[in-house]
């Protein structure tokens, strides 16, 4: 028996093949865990840094004098004259109180007529932030024109226009005695003499024109540039009638704006954000606060007002953007299931973004509205779009909204809560300098600009090879 046992022992392998495979597998797994644990320790947020480095856009900031951006804020805050367009100016009260001290980066106005257009301030603030704090920024600032995808022109065009409008002197449409026009001219004279502008004829230059009248006197000179606008209202002329005799034209004669090259950006919301967890039962069906009559349009708004003002569950309030109106709007939007969004002077307004922050389901009455970040966001997931013809049918709109079930409205608000941050500019810093919200408005704007870059570069190359003296007719770039 002993020899037999010895023989068996001598021929038996020390370890079976499955055991060896299992051991090697365990060793491999342990090695991977060790490697990834070290990687996570050395790079606590690899997703943001990787995306920023690989997918960002290179931005060169044109070297405009400070007087055309932050210096304008110095001028604004040093003035003691209140805005002539509003009864109570929070920045310049009738009895002069303590105003912010001049700083390298002054705060942006709280005046709601100006604050709603503050995109220029937050975009510039991100670019001015020190590099080590910009890890979440999609725009990578470069300091050589040759390294840039686009050239950002740091002119606070909206603030400039609003300061001129607010002085009440009636000089805005004139060139003589118009400080805003003088600044517009200074900007264009400067950038048009740079090599960067000459290489592309300004096509790769980015201007922030959130107020519909910003840079009004020089629009034709920047028509080829990338324009950041809140909508296309007031930018183009249309034929009075189309060829088939209808009231709507089939084509636009000529425009400086196009969805091909330009970017629709959000207004700055004026109402605070309501988290989904704080949402409470809403008692009214539909809410609207604003002016019934508009001096530059708004006929649909006036007709809707007359149709809805006596409708049960509908609240239509005349209001103005002052402190009292703000508190009324907060209560009204948070207490209503739906918020009406008709066109006024322009197709859109900050009211839409106030509604989103208030989790009040937007009811957008428009056939042609353009909205920020289309393609990144599907507004139909949290908004109700209504044709003008249906909205102007008596009783139709209120009855349509009443058909939505509680579950459908909860779904709308749940989806809306997920995109609230997309429309936020504010980074929580009084001077606008500091890390931005990675999923906020500034990064989404630069991502949309990046989408335009290949088409801009194609246009530049096409222009360079065009024979000298050749004339190319204007083409409608509409889609």
């Amino acid at each position: 028996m002993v020899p037999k046992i010895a023989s068996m022992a001598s021929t038996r392998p020390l370890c079976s093949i499955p055991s060896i495979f299992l051991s090697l597998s365990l060793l491999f797994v342990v090695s991977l865990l060790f490697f990834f644990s070290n990687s996570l320790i050395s790079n606590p947020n690899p997703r943001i840094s990787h995306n920023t480095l690989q997918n960002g856009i290179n931005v060169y900031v044109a070297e405009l004098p400070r007087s055309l951006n932050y210096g304008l804020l110095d001028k604004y805050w040093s003035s003691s004259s209140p805005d002539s367009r509003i009864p109570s100016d929070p920045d310049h009260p009738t009895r002069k109180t303590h105003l912010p001290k001049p700083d390298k980066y002054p705060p942006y106005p709280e005046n709601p007529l100006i604050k709603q257009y503050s995109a220029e301030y937050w975009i510039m603030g991100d670019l001015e932030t020190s590099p080590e704090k910009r890890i979440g920024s999609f725009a990578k600032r470069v300091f050589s024109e040759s390294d840039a995808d686009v050239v950002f022109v740091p002119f606070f065009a909206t603030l400039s226009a609003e300061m001129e409008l607010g002085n009440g002197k009636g000089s805005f449409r004139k060139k003589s005695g118009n400080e805003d026009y003088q600044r517009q001219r200074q900007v264009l004279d400067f950038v048009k003499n740079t090599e960067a502008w000459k290489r592309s004829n300004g096509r790769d230059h980015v201007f922030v024109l959130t107020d519909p009248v910003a840079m009004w006197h020089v629009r034709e000179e920047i028509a080829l540039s990338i324009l950041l606008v809140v909508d296309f209202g007031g930018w183009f002329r249309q034929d009075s009638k189309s060829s088939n005799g209808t009231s709507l034209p089939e084509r636009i004669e000529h425009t400086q704006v196009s969805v091909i090259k330009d970017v629709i950006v959000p207004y700055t919301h004026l109402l605070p954000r309501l988290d989904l967890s704080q949402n409470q039962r809403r008692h009214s069906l539909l809410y609207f606060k604003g002016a019934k009559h508009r001096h530059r349009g708004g006929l649909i708004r006036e007709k809707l007002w007359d149709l809805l003002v006596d409708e049960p569950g509908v609240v239509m309030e005349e209001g103005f953007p002052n402190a009292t109106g703000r508190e009324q709007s907060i209560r009204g939007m948070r207490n209503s299931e739906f918020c009406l969004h008709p066109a006024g002077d322009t197709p859109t307004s900050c009211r839409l973004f106030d509604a989103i922050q208030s989790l009040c389901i937007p009811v957008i009455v428009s056939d042609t509205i353009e909205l920020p970040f289309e393609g990144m966001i599907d507004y139909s997931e949290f908004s109700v779009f209504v044709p003008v013809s249906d909205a102007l049918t008596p009783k139709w709109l209120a009855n349509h909204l009443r058909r939505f079930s509680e579950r459908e409205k909860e779904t709308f608000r749940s989806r809306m809560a997920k995109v609230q941050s997309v429309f936020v500019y504010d980074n929580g810093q009084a001077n606008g300098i500091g890390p931005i919200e990675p999923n906020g408005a500034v990064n989404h704007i630069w991502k949309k600009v990046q989408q335009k870059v290949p088409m801009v570069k194609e246009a530049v190359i096409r222009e360079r090879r065009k024979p000298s003296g050749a004339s190319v007719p204007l083409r409608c770039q509409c889609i």
Side-chain angles (χ1 to χ4, degrees):
M1 293 295 293
V2 174
K4 185 176 181 180
I5 294 174
S7 175
M8 290 177 62
S10 63
T11 58
R12 184 177 180 180
L14 294 175
C15 186
S16 66
I17 292 177
S19 299
I20 295 173
F21 179 79
L22 180 60
S23 300
L24 291 173
S25 299
L26 288 172
L27 181 62
F28 178 73
V29 170
V30 170
S31 300
L32 281 178
L33 288 173
F34 178 79
F35 172 79
F36 281 113
S37 64
N38 282 344
S39 297
L40 290 173
I41 292 171
S42 61
N43 187 1
N45 200 347
R47 182 181 63 83
I48 290 179
S49 61
H50 175 77
N51 287 344
T52 301
L53 292 174
Q54 297 299 319
N55 301 319
I57 181 172
N58 291 341
V59 180
Y60 176 78
V61 180
E63 297 179 356
L64 291 184
R66 187 178 185 277
S67 61
L68 295 170
N69 39 72
Y70 291 106
L72 270 175
L73 286 170
D74 295 336
K75 182 180 179 66
Y76 178 86
W77 288 114
S78 64
S79 170
S80 60
S81 301
D83 193 315
S84 64
R85 300 168 295 172
I86 56 177
S88 177
D89 183 348
D91 300 325
H92 303 94
T94 304
R95 294 182 179 179
K96 191 170 182 180
T97 58
H98 175 71
L99 296 176
K101 293 180 179 180
D103 195 1
K104 183 179 180 180
Y105 300 111
Y108 206 73
E110 286 296 318
N111 178 341
L113 294 178
I114 305 178
K115 185 177 181 180
Q116 63 181 331
Y117 301 122
S118 63
E120 57 193 10
Y121 181 74
W122 301 106
I123 294 172
M124 184 64 178
D126 171 46
L127 293 169
E128 284 287 286
T129 300
S130 57
E132 66 273 11
K133 295 181 179 180
R134 302 190 66 247
I135 187 172
S137 299
F138 190 77
K140 181 181 178 183
R141 184 170 181 177
V142 296
F143 295 90
S144 171
E145 298 171 355
S146 60
D147 295 332
D149 296 312
V150 293
V151 176
F152 179 73
V153 181
F155 174 41
F156 288 173
T158 287
L159 179 61
S160 177
E162 289 292 336
M163 288 171 65
E164 190 67 32
L165 289 168
N167 67 26
K169 297 178 181 178
S171 58
F172 181 79
R173 292 182 176 274
K174 304 174 183 178
K175 294 182 179 180
S176 176
N178 183 343
E179 293 185 13
D180 177 43
Y181 169 70
Q182 294 171 12
R183 289 187 286 263
Q184 294 175 39
R185 190 71 266 152
Q186 185 180 357
V187 170
L188 265 294
D189 290 345
F190 178 87
V191 296
K192 290 176 77 171
N193 280 315
T194 63
E195 289 303 315
W197 182 280
K198 294 173 183 177
R199 282 198 301 266
S200 68
N201 202 16
R203 282 184 170 87
D204 58 1
H205 284 52
V206 179
F207 291 85
V208 186
L209 308 179
T210 44
D211 190 311
V213 298
M215 297 196 80
W216 185 72
H217 289 281
V218 296
R219 284 183 174 182
E220 291 187 3
E221 297 180 60
I222 59 174
L224 298 178
S225 301
I226 301 171
L227 309 179
L228 309 187
V229 297
V230 290
D231 56 44
F232 290 161
W235 276 89
F236 50 80
R237 303 187 305 272
Q238 292 183 332
D239 296 326
S240 59
K241 289 185 179 181
S242 66
S243 59
N244 61 13
T246 63
S247 59
L248 291 177
E250 290 181 340
R251 60 180 290 182
I252 295 171
E253 287 184 350
H254 175 56
T255 174
Q256 290 99 10
V257 290
S258 166
V259 292
I260 299 293
K261 70 176 183 67
D262 300 318
V263 175
I264 303 292
V265 305
Y267 282 80
T268 302
H269 64 86
L270 302 179
L271 302 187
R273 176 174 176 170
L274 175 69
D275 290 328
L276 187 61
S277 61
Q278 299 173 318
N279 183 61
Q280 298 180 354
R281 187 170 180 270
R282 295 169 182 253
H283 298 90
S284 60
L285 175 70
L286 180 65
Y287 179 77
F288 173 82
K289 183 178 181 62
K292 176 182 177 180
H293 304 285
R294 302 302 300 168
H295 61 284
R296 289 198 302 249
L299 294 178
I300 294 172
R301 179 190 293 191
E302 293 184 18
K303 293 178 181 179
L304 280 172
W305 189 290
D306 292 334
L307 287 172
L308 294 169
V309 67
D310 295 323
E311 185 71 32
V314 176
V315 179
M316 305 289 287
E317 293 181 343
E318 280 271 10
F320 202 77
N322 52 28
T324 303
R326 182 177 185 272
E327 294 304 316
Q328 290 174 342
S329 294
I330 292 173
R331 290 194 300 270
M333 286 193 168
R334 293 186 177 189
N335 191 50
S336 184
E337 301 281 9
F338 299 92
C339 282
L340 184 64
H341 185 72
D345 295 343
T346 54
T348 187
S349 72
C350 68
R351 187 178 294 105
L352 171 62
F353 308 101
D354 284 337
I356 292 172
Q357 298 304 322
S358 303
L359 296 178
C360 186
I361 302 166
V363 178
I364 300 174
V365 180
S366 175
D367 297 336
T368 58
I369 195 169
E370 297 286 349
L371 295 167
F373 314 138
E374 296 266 23
M376 297 177 174
I377 295 172
D378 184 352
Y379 285 83
S380 64
E381 291 187 344
F382 56 87
S383 306
V384 178
F385 287 86
V386 178
V388 172
S389 58
D390 287 342
L392 296 182
T393 302
K395 300 291 183 181
W396 186 93
L397 183 57
N399 290 336
H400 177 64
L401 298 179
R402 290 189 182 103
R403 295 190 188 102
F404 285 92
S405 67
E406 290 299 321
R407 183 173 182 178
E408 288 174 319
K409 289 182 286 188
E410 288 175 3
T411 300
F412 273 134
R413 278 192 286 272
S414 176
R415 291 170 176 169
M416 203 184 319
K418 294 179 180 178
V419 298
Q420 282 177 310
S421 64
V422 171
F423 304 106
V424 174
Y425 289 102
D426 199 325
N427 63 6
Q429 304 298 316
N431 62 3
I433 306 298
I436 60 171
E437 165 63 49
N439 196 40
V442 173
N443 270 355
H444 276 77
I445 289 170
W446 284 120
K447 289 176 183 178
K448 289 298 288 187
V449 171
Q450 188 192 47
Q451 293 177 8
K452 315 295 180 180
V453 170
M455 291 173 282
V456 169
K457 290 182 176 179
E458 180 181 326
V460 172
I461 293 172
R462 187 186 299 115
E463 181 71 18
R464 287 175 183 168
R465 57 85 176 154
K466 188 177 69 175
S468 177
S471 176
V472 179
L474 292 173
R475 300 182 180 90
C476 179
Q477 296 182 330
C478 313
I479 60 172

